[in-house]
Amino acid sequence: MSATDPRDPRGYAADAPLLQAWLRFTADVRDGRSMPFSIPGHKHRRDLVGEVIAGDVPMLAGLDTMKQDHALLATAEARAAEAWGVDWCRFSVGGSTHANQASVLALGQPGQSVIVSRTLHRSVLLGLVLAGLRPVWVHPSIDAATGLPGAVPVDAVEAALAANHDACGVLVGDPSYVGTMSDIAGLADVAHAAGVPLVVDAAWAAYFGFSPSVPDHALARGADALITSAHKTLPAWSQSALLLARTTRAGGLLDPDRLERGFEASATTSAAGAILASADASRALLQRDGAELIGRLVELVGVARSALSAIEGVEVLVDRPASHPDGPLAVDPAKLVVLLAGTGAHGHAIESDLLAHGMTLEMADRDVLVPIITLADDESTVTRLIDALTAAIERHRGQPRRITASAAWSVRAETAIPPRDAFFAPHETVRADAAAGRICAELIAPYPPGVPVLAPGEIVTVEALGALRATRADGGRIAYAADATLATVQVVAER
């Protein structure tokens, strides 16, 4: 396909073999040159269920032959590995959830400990269930001024490694869901001093490392593996993600064979070609035009931060130097986080107003809004967001209040038995009040952000139940629980 194909407006196909194959296949369908006798079952006919199947092309017997004679996926993944400066990469069509779980499966043996940041996504914890690893939790600092998680302390990770000589790795999320960042180089140093790899879930910052306007990605700062979601902040299909690693072949600490087995163990055998092609195209975009596009993104976020922080009572999350009275804070320059406590307005009311204008938010709780601005935004969309937020805040302005840290960040867990043991143990359903002191058999989290407050194997505490109930009473969603009303909780059955 030529660079003038309107379906490839920037001409990335020449550098993105999966995108080029998708363009070719969909043109064959359009022009009647395709007559498949393989899946998917719709066979590209749109007179059955309609346009919903448009663009759906399988990887096997679609972008490539069933036997992958052209090695298109391997070529695309090799180019991504080179772009991030490592020797191993796989594209996932199961999002960062699959990539996280694959990385955990690659780390150790059942029964070994692993050092884990407690504010990681639930997919990591369920990866521990699959792998049979025992989590040793480390908690990020909670920023007193904002109630949000800050850096994962290097000394806390170092202490956890010193106390757990069987540890097989360190798992952290950076940047966090709200864009706060840790000292990845320092974390890598203490992990490597203990002889274990550092794995970083960077789901929200696929653009790191491709522009001087943003920090280097975690691999460039010493991490051994990086998980990132192409679909969250890049122009890629939903569910597209990448798992990248520096393996023992290139002087790293991760076994490429274990990585491969971990990835394949939890991957679909019917990968969606359009998802893969969009990840390939997004990698090409980062390499060719990333510096320009990411620079513009940071400028747009800066405009939004300036405009919103000028509203009485509104704060936005930004970097703070060590000399600041509230202490240092490092924040992704392309992340917009709006703090409402000083306005008295309730985040759910603001979200409702924006939904009425067709604007969705990534996260809204009482005190915090997270609108995601991406490479696909421009001055007009950001201006509309600023105007809508400004008007909604004024409509709902009330008495200023103190910020209260979300249960997702503030509750401290006590692990009684390994998550895998609790997951597979006989369980019973009891009244929530009667669950206090029992071992939790399920995962319960406010969503977003999907960070567990209670997880399999942890002691159900009055504090955790109270925090979850307060979240629900305030209009938040309780996710993953068998009983989202929190009237009952599933606990490990007593023998």
Side-chain angles (χ1 to χ4, degrees), residues 113 115 136 154-167 170 190 194 196:
S113 64
I115 314 304
V136 176
V154 173
D155 57 358
V157 172
E158 187 173 31
L161 288 166
N164 295 273
H165 296 291
D166 69 330
V170 176
V190 297
V196 300

Side-chain angles (χ1 to χ4, degrees), residues 245-271:
R246 182 178 296 104
T247 75
T248 52
R249 290 185 306 229
L253 293 172
L254 286 164
D255 179 351
D257 296 324
R258 279 289 300 275
L259 281 165
E260 200 69 33
R261 290 200 297 271
F263 190 92
E264 290 296 339
S266 47
T268 178
T269 56
S270 302

Side-chain angles (χ1 to χ4, degrees), residues 105-339:
L105 285 169
L107 284 179
Q109 298 179 2
Q112 276 189 277
S113 64
V114 60
I115 314 304
V116 190
S117 170
R118 189 57 176 81
T119 52
L120 277 172
H121 190 261
R122 65 131 185 176
S123 58
V124 173
L125 192 141
L126 293 174
L128 300 178
V129 170
L130 293 173
L133 300 180
R134 178 178 63 85
V136 176
W137 301 118
V138 290
H139 295 269
S141 58
I142 300 298
D143 183 58
T146 64
L148 295 174
V152 175
V154 173
D155 57 358
V157 172
E158 187 173 31
L161 288 166
N164 295 273
H165 296 291
D166 69 330
C168 59
V170 176
L171 301 168
V172 300
D174 192 83
S176 71
Y177 187 83
V178 292
T180 50
M181 298 189 296
S182 299
D183 176 6
I184 292 298
L187 292 172
D189 286 344
V190 297
H192 295 163
V196 300
L198 172 66
V199 178
V200 177
D201 177 358
W204 291 98
Y207 44 76
F208 272 22
F210 290 90
S211 167
S213 300
V214 293
D216 283 338
H217 54 70
L219 293 163
R221 288 179 281 160
D224 297 274
L226 171 70
I227 296 97
T228 196
S229 288
H231 73 97
K232 283 184 167 66
T233 54
L234 301 180
W237 270 62
S238 293
Q239 297 180 214
S240 59
L242 295 86
L243 172 55
L244 301 119
R246 182 178 296 104
T247 75
T248 52
R249 290 185 306 229
L253 293 172
L254 286 164
D255 179 351
D257 296 324
R258 279 289 300 275
L259 281 165
E260 200 69 33
R261 290 200 297 271
F263 190 92
E264 290 296 339
S266 47
T268 178
T269 56
S270 302
I275 298 177
L276 296 170
S278 70
D280 192 20
S282 293
R283 184 272 313 155
L285 176 147
L286 286 176
Q287 284 193 284
R288 198 184 79 182
D289 297 318
E292 172 198 348
L293 294 174
I294 297 165
R296 188 191 67 169
L297 169 62
V298 171
E299 290 174 1
L300 289 173
V301 171
V303 168
R305 285 175 170 178
S306 296
L308 294 169
S309 62
I311 300 171
E312 182 183 354
V314 171
E315 294 182 54
V316 295
L317 204 60
V318 294
D319 279 356
R320 292 199 310 252
S323 59
H324 193 279
D326 293 318
L329 196 66
V331 181
D332 175 0
K335 189 86 168 189
L336 177 62
V337 177
V338 183
L339 307 173

